[in-house]
Amino acid sequence: MLDADFFRRWMTVTAASVNREAERLTALDSPIGDADHGTNLQRGFTAVTAALEKEAPDTPGGVLTLAGRQLISTVGGASGPLYGTLLRRTGKALGDAAEVSAEQLAEALRAGVDAVMTLGGAAPGDKTMIDALVPAVDVLGDSFAAARTAAEEGAVATTPLLARKGRASYLGERSIGHQDPGATSAALLVAGLVEASGE
Ligand code: ADP
Ligand code: MG
């Protein structure tokens, strides 16, 4: 079972990997965006870890809804409301249980990803974070490691795609040949599950 400590670790290790990879995320956002994705997420996840330390929510749902709120209020770019919605909706689906199973997390994350698609209007294949999140959620019931692999492969598979949503879509055909920054950071978030579980 996964308790609030697990979810806190998930957010903390994701904050650390976002810090480690910030330059790469910003570099990916340079040819097909405005070169701020790494700094956007760094600001957001720094606020997430600070808020979690200060407020210390004691349920999985509480951790994720607080984290989502922080991302929405601190990240300027499109990715803030989208990641914020992902975590808030997932947290809401987990309710106020003190512990949840991996299956419950998989179901809740599915609801979270659906909410991101509703908010942003992106479908799989549009070259967004959705291209890493959907394949990950599809296999999350198998294992966190399987989800990590699926997310990483989904991120790499955005390279030949034409962007249909977000800033990269303004480039039309010129968006082809570049890996999507948001799909790349989504893979970091999913990889954080493996790290947090010590799998
Ligand atoms: P901005 O584009 O406002 O500068 P970021 O650079 O932080 O915001 O994030 C860009 C990423 O957000 C993209 O790489 C893409 O994965 C994701 N994104 C943008 N628009 C959408 C959308 N409508 N639905 C899903 N993801 C999106
Ligand atoms: Mg950007």
Side-chain angles (χ1 to χ4, degrees):
M1 292 294 274
L2 308 167
D3 60 8
D5 276 341
F6 168 84
F7 285 86
R8 234 190 309 277
R9 277 200 307 282
W10 182 23
M11 293 298 105
T12 313
V13 300
T14 300
S17 64
V18 161
N19 275 331
R20 265 195 318 271
E21 299 287 327
E23 278 184 32
R24 176 164 172 255
L25 294 174
T26 288
L28 289 171
D29 194 34
S30 165
I32 57 168
D34 55 354
D36 64 358
H37 190 55
T39 45
N40 280 344
L41 288 190
Q42 250 182 325
R43 189 182 329 112
F45 276 95
T46 299
V48 167
T49 48
L52 288 175
E53 255 176 52
K54 188 161 165 247
E55 295 186 32
D58 57 4
T59 61
V63 170
L64 293 187
T65 50
L66 175 60
R69 267 207 318 274
Q70 292 301 313
L71 292 178
I72 290 168
S73 62
T74 60
V75 177
S79 60
L82 294 164
Y83 274 126
T85 295
L86 174 69
L87 297 184
R88 267 205 334 185
R89 183 68 189 85
T90 302
K92 195 175 155 212
L94 293 175
D96 55 9
E99 293 185 328
V100 300
S101 65
E103 290 72 31
Q104 284 172 313
L105 173 57
E107 247 176 66
L109 261 177
R110 168 79 64 193
V113 173
D114 285 347
V116 174
M117 290 197 276
T118 302
L119 175 67
D126 286 347
K127 197 181 182 97
T128 69
M129 60 174 70
I130 291 303
D131 292 315
L133 293 173
V134 165
V137 165
D138 282 346
V139 298
L140 197 64
D142 299 343
S143 70
F144 291 157
R148 172 179 62 186
T149 303
E152 286 168 355
E153 289 175 356
V156 169
T158 60
T159 302
L161 297 177
L162 176 88
R164 292 204 170 79
K165 291 287 166 198
R167 230 173 248 286
S169 67
Y170 309 157
L171 292 175
E173 301 269 319
R174 281 181 295 138
S175 66
I176 293 173
H178 303 280
Q179 185 168 318
D180 180 63
T184 309
S185 59
L188 295 179
L189 179 70
V190 175
L193 286 171
V194 180
E195 221 184 308
S197 68
E199 243 179 47

